[in-house]
Structure formats: C-alpha cells, structure tokens
Amino acid sequence: MHHSPFTTSRTGAGGGTAVETQTIGMELALSQLLSRFDDTEKSIIGVHGLGGMGKTTLLKTPNNELKENTRDYHVVIMIEVANSETLNVVDMQKIIANRLGLPWNESETERERSTFLRRALRRKKFVVLLDDVWKKFQLADVGIPTPSSDNGCKLIVASRSNQVCVEMGDKEPMEMPCLNENESLRLFRSNLMAEVSAAIDHDSDMRESAMDIIQSCGGLPLALNVVGCALACSMDAVEWKQAARAMRAILVEDQSLE
C-alpha cells in the first residue's frame, strides 16, 4: 500500500489535531497539495494565490510533518525567498548549508558555494519549499539540483503569481481556494475568547456584525485572523458594528482599485 510521507491529521493537545488547529478551513488546499505531492510523476509543485490566502501556512504543514518523518526524505528545507526586488542568494545558501550541517566559508563566492551545495544535495533525497517567490530564478544559482522523478526529490513553490509558478517548472500549478462562509466563520471564531464566540450564537447584533465582517474579508485567512484577534475579548456590539463598517469600507476601496 502506498505510504504518504505526511498527513493532514495528527493528534494534538486538547483533543483536536495539531495540524487542524493551525489550518482551520484549509482542508481542501491541504488535500490538493497532498494529492500532487503523492504523484510520483510530479516533482515541482506550484501554489499560487493572493496575499493573505494562507500559502505560508499551507507550506509549513508538509515542512513540519516531513521533518518529523525522516523515513521518506533525508532533508527538508523551507526558504522564504521574498525576491520582489533582488534574490538574496547568500541568505538562501546559508539556510541550505545549515540544514545540511555543512561548514560556512565566507571567502567562497556564490558560484563556488552553489556548486558545493548542489553536490551535497545530489547525495540526498530532498524536499525544498520556496515561499513568497516573486520572480523566476535558476535553482542552480542557489545550489539546488532540479528535482525529477528519477531522483525522487520534490520542490514546492508558493507565489502570488500563476506565471511565476509556471516559469519555475509547474505547468499546471494549483490555486489556493478562498474559504467559504462556514470555514471563514470557524477561523474567525477560533481567534475569539470562548464567551465572545458563544455570544455570536445568542446575540443577533453580534451575529449580524460577525457575518458582515466575514463577507468583507472575502475568504482571506489573514484578514479573518487579524480582525478576530482585534475583537477577541470584545463583547461590545457597537465595537463589532464599527469593525464591520471598517471592513466594508476596505472592501469597497479594494474593488475600486481593481
């Protein structure tokens, strides 16, 4: 039977699951990523979506799971690329060298290090997760060998741009799905104190304001978390109405800019 190298449900404290607690409403995205990861013919996996969609959280799940389960891969490396202007090759090389337990030589050039790191990684079955990639870059320039079905290695690329994912090697990248209304409500409530969350069920004004806020967030996990944390301890219906109005204003402004 095929063994999946990482799972989407691991028992955690409090009776729930550790992964589920961190990724409320992201079950569909996790399932899609897992399916692509398990495809032995797919070595490069692209994930694209708007900022605030939860791409970083999504990548952290296999990153954390695979680090604990070393049976399938020798090394798992997650790197925040953030190359909106320039590619910080040295910082990326330091992360790779650190994960491989290799010495760092300041006198080496980027090219010398990339050759050294590629040679070291070729002896490993690896998974590299690249988060927040803004522009295409050559893996070899950093020191990452190209994953393939022959070497069994994997590369996961997260970007706001579908085109960047394509240029990095995934011709059909997956799009991060927005949270639906029920998922949005679950995530929003997870940030609230228990008594505040309960008030949504029996206070019609707070319920109405909560649904207004959720609709205004447009299914974006980051927005839902920010507003949820801001209202975590508030039982003031007026404050909730103000938050709902503020979110509606932001939504209108965003739509006018499109």
Side-chain angles (χ1 to χ4, degrees):
M1 183 174 68
H2 176 67
H3 167 71
S4 176
F6 67 92
T7 68
T8 56
S9 58
R10 178 162 45 86
T11 302
T17 62
V19 173
E20 183 179 297
T21 302
Q22 298 165 10
T23 57
I24 291 175
M26 296 184 66
E27 293 84 358
L28 175 59
L30 279 168
S31 175
Q32 291 177 353
L33 180 61
L34 176 59
S35 176
R36 289 165 181 254
F37 194 94
D38 282 347
D39 185 347
T40 56
E41 297 301 314
K42 196 168 186 65
S43 302
I44 300 178
I45 303 162
V47 181
H48 70 95
L50 298 172
M53 288 288 293
K55 298 183 296 297
T56 299
T57 301
L58 183 68
L59 262 62
K60 283 181 178 178
T61 300
N63 178 60
N64 295 338
E65 291 282 346
L66 289 166
K67 279 183 178 178
E68 291 187 8
N69 181 5
T70 57
R71 176 173 57 182
D72 298 279
Y73 294 91
H74 300 125
V75 63
V76 182
I77 307 170
M78 183 166 176
I79 305 172
E80 182 180 354
V81 180
N83 61 333
S84 58
E85 295 183 4
T86 58
L87 183 69
N88 197 327
V89 173
V90 173
D91 282 355
M92 295 176 69
Q93 290 178 334
K94 283 182 178 179
I95 292 171
I96 297 170
N98 180 61
R99 288 290 298 135
L100 293 174
L102 298 174
W104 181 261
N105 187 344
E106 289 287 354
S107 65
E108 288 182 329
T109 65
E110 290 180 5
R111 177 173 291 186
E112 288 171 336
R113 287 195 205 101
S114 68
T115 301
F116 178 60
L117 293 174
R118 281 202 312 276
R119 189 177 299 125
L121 276 174
R122 283 197 187 105
R123 295 195 290 267
K124 306 283 187 181
K125 188 177 180 184
F126 64 81
V127 178
V128 172
L129 305 100
L130 302 176
D131 189 28
D132 198 21
V133 180
W134 286 69
K135 300 175 185 175
K136 176 189 176 182
F137 65 92
Q138 298 299 324
L139 297 175
D141 291 344
V142 178
I144 303 171
T146 301
S148 68
S149 55
D150 291 333
N151 60 32
C153 299
K154 298 280 187 177
L155 175 72
I156 304 178
V157 178
S159 175
R160 296 188 183 193
S161 166
N162 174 75
Q163 184 59 32
V164 168
C165 291
V166 171
E167 292 174 353
M168 291 298 293
D170 186 354
K171 302 307 179 186
E172 296 181 356
M174 66 171 273
E175 182 177 6
M176 282 290 294
C178 289
L179 304 188
N180 62 34
E181 186 175 277
N182 288 335
E183 292 167 340
S184 296
L185 182 59
R186 281 176 55 211
L187 180 58
F188 176 69
R189 294 178 75 151
S190 72
N191 292 285
L192 306 176
M193 298 289 290
E195 60 270 26
V196 178
S197 179
I200 294 176
D201 295 325
H202 58 73
D203 186 313
S204 59
D205 286 341
M206 291 184 70
R207 175 78 179 186
E208 181 181 348
S209 295
M211 298 313 294
D212 281 349
I213 290 169
I214 285 168
Q215 290 176 9
S216 299
C217 287
L220 295 178
L222 179 60
L224 290 160
N225 283 326
V226 169
V227 181
C229 288
L231 297 174
C233 302
S234 174
M235 297 284 285
D236 185 348
V238 174
E239 186 176 1
W240 279 57
K241 286 183 179 295
Q242 290 173 342
R245 283 197 296 271
M247 288 306 302
R248 279 199 298 271
I250 292 172
L251 181 64
V252 170
E253 182 179 351
D254 286 348
Q255 289 175 339
S256 68
L257 294 175
E258 291 179 355

